[in-house]
Amino acid sequence: MSGGWWCDGVRWPGQVPELGWSRGGDRRVSVLAYGAGIGFRALGERHCVGARGNVCPLGAAVPGRSTGGRCAECARLDRAHSVAADTMADDPRTYRVYLAWFGPGMVKVGITGEERGAARLREQGAVVFSWLGRGPLMAARRTEEVLRAALGVPDRIPYARKRAVRGRLPGAEERAAEVTELYRRAAELQGRGWPESLERLPLEVVDQAGIFGIDRAPAPVRSVRELVDGGVVAGRLVAAAGPDLHLAVDGGGVVVLDTRLITGWDLAAVPDVPVRAGAGSDAAAGSKAVPAEAGSDVRVPLIDIGGGGVQGGLF
């Protein structure tokens, strides 16, 4: 996209990821396909994306490493009208409680609007999930609290932890086992704190590794830390999970782009970018392009996944 279009990040309305774009009040989507190339160059500086579909009145600049992409005021306004803020006690909609698995020992409880189906689970990158119950908002919230207190189940898991284990997940049976066991323990709480207005749903374990493509793609080795003015990200999409796009870069393995980092940037298309060899300070100094697949290049700061060490220079 070009001509003032800003990326809104990855959406999962169905079983195929999409990139959302906005320009003023206009909205567009780009449907993504595994195996296809994706490339862009960041221009200028990053600006606040606003709140609830409204433009930031300050046009504030925001840090490149912010996954929220909002200034402090817009972030406050956005959260004030979210379900997570618990300011909608009289919400008449039906909500569902779910159990989501992201990796060994990483299962959480959460809620989502029933009309959204499993979109929320795909947006979070949940590899495996099962519904637990359905009912009014406050009953769903109460169930979250009961599971946290009685079973020690968290309601959030840091995204860096999810990303760190995604490339080395156990088999499907082991993935399902943790969700199944937690469902059993949660069901035993009926009559012992489980809200009467929450209808328990039957266990139905759903594995989304195939939807994400992570069951057939190489494990990622690095992730984008932030975009910079003039920085290029281009590669072949091999997997996607939650907000992450896994891009194969010739000579550099698979690099993860958290699309929450690209909101608020003016992006220009990069249809044909030569592959760059190596990493670290040599690349930062401008190593020569090598003959290889066109359209594969990453020239922004990177960080090793799970290692905590920041790459020197640009990749």
Side-chain angles (χ1 to χ4, degrees):
M1 284 284 177
S2 60
W5 287 93
W6 282 10
C7 184
D8 296 329
V10 168
R11 301 170 178 175
W12 289 90
Q15 297 189 357
V16 178
E18 301 177 352
L19 277 180
W21 301 91
S22 62
R23 182 176 63 183
D26 296 331
R27 299 287 186 272
R28 292 185 182 178
V29 296
S30 300
V31 179
L32 303 180
Y34 299 138
I38 294 177
F40 62 83
R41 184 188 307 275
L43 303 174
E45 66 177 344
R46 189 184 188 193
H47 291 89
C48 174
V49 297
R52 300 285 155 178
N54 298 307
V55 176
C56 174
L58 303 176
V62 293
R65 299 185 195 181
S66 167
T67 54
R70 293 184 172 89
C71 67
E73 180 62 17
C74 286
R76 184 187 66 79
L77 291 172
D78 188 68
R79 181 168 177 80
H81 294 87
S82 71
V83 172
D86 282 339
T87 58
M88 305 162 62
D90 58 348
D91 190 330
R93 293 174 295 175
T94 299
Y95 283 81
R96 288 200 173 202
V97 182
Y98 59 80
L99 303 175
W101 184 94
F102 301 92
M106 285 189 282
V107 186
K108 60 159 280 188
V109 59
I111 71 171
T112 185
E114 187 169 66
E115 74 280 1
R116 298 201 66 208
R120 179 64 178 151
L121 283 303
R122 294 187 287 269
E123 290 168 356
Q124 294 185 56
V127 181
V128 178
F129 76 91
S130 176
W131 301 117
L132 179 62
R134 64 186 296 273
L137 173 59
M138 299 316 291
R141 277 282 181 236
R142 174 60 181 163
T143 305
E144 279 189 312
E145 296 170 4
V146 169
L147 265 62
R148 283 200 301 268
L151 304 180
V153 183
D155 63 348
R156 55 176 52 88
I157 294 174
Y159 206 84
R161 289 186 60 202
K162 304 177 189 177
R163 184 180 294 128
V165 302
R166 194 179 292 149
R168 54 178 190 274
L169 297 176
E173 288 188 9
E174 187 175 340
R175 297 198 294 260
E178 283 195 65
V179 173
T180 300
E181 173 60 16
L182 183 56
Y183 178 93
R184 181 191 65 77
R185 296 173 62 202
E188 291 177 349
L189 295 175
Q190 282 194 283
R192 296 190 295 125
W194 182 294
E196 293 183 2
S197 56
L198 191 86
E199 172 193 353
R200 180 158 66 92
L201 295 173
L203 173 68
E204 185 178 352
V205 177
V206 179
D207 194 307
Q208 303 192 118
I211 294 174
F212 294 152
I214 56 177
D215 59 345
R216 54 188 181 273
V221 293
R222 300 179 184 89
S223 63
V224 173
R225 185 184 68 180
E226 62 182 315
L227 299 189
V228 294
D229 181 25
V232 171
V233 176
R236 180 171 54 87
L237 183 67
V238 294
D244 287 352
L245 301 182
H246 295 210
L247 303 176
V249 179
D250 191 81
V254 174
V255 174
V256 174
L257 171 64
D258 184 339
T259 57
R260 296 175 299 178
L261 296 175
I262 68 178
T263 59
W265 282 97
D266 186 8
L267 304 177
V270 182
D272 242 352
V273 182
V275 176
R276 298 177 67 87
S281 56
D282 289 342
S287 58
K288 293 180 65 177
V290 296
E293 258 182 47
S296 181
D297 192 18
V298 176
R299 281 177 274 160
V300 292
L302 301 176
I303 186 169
D304 293 334
I305 292 179
V310 176
Q311 287 290 112
L314 305 180
F315 179 76

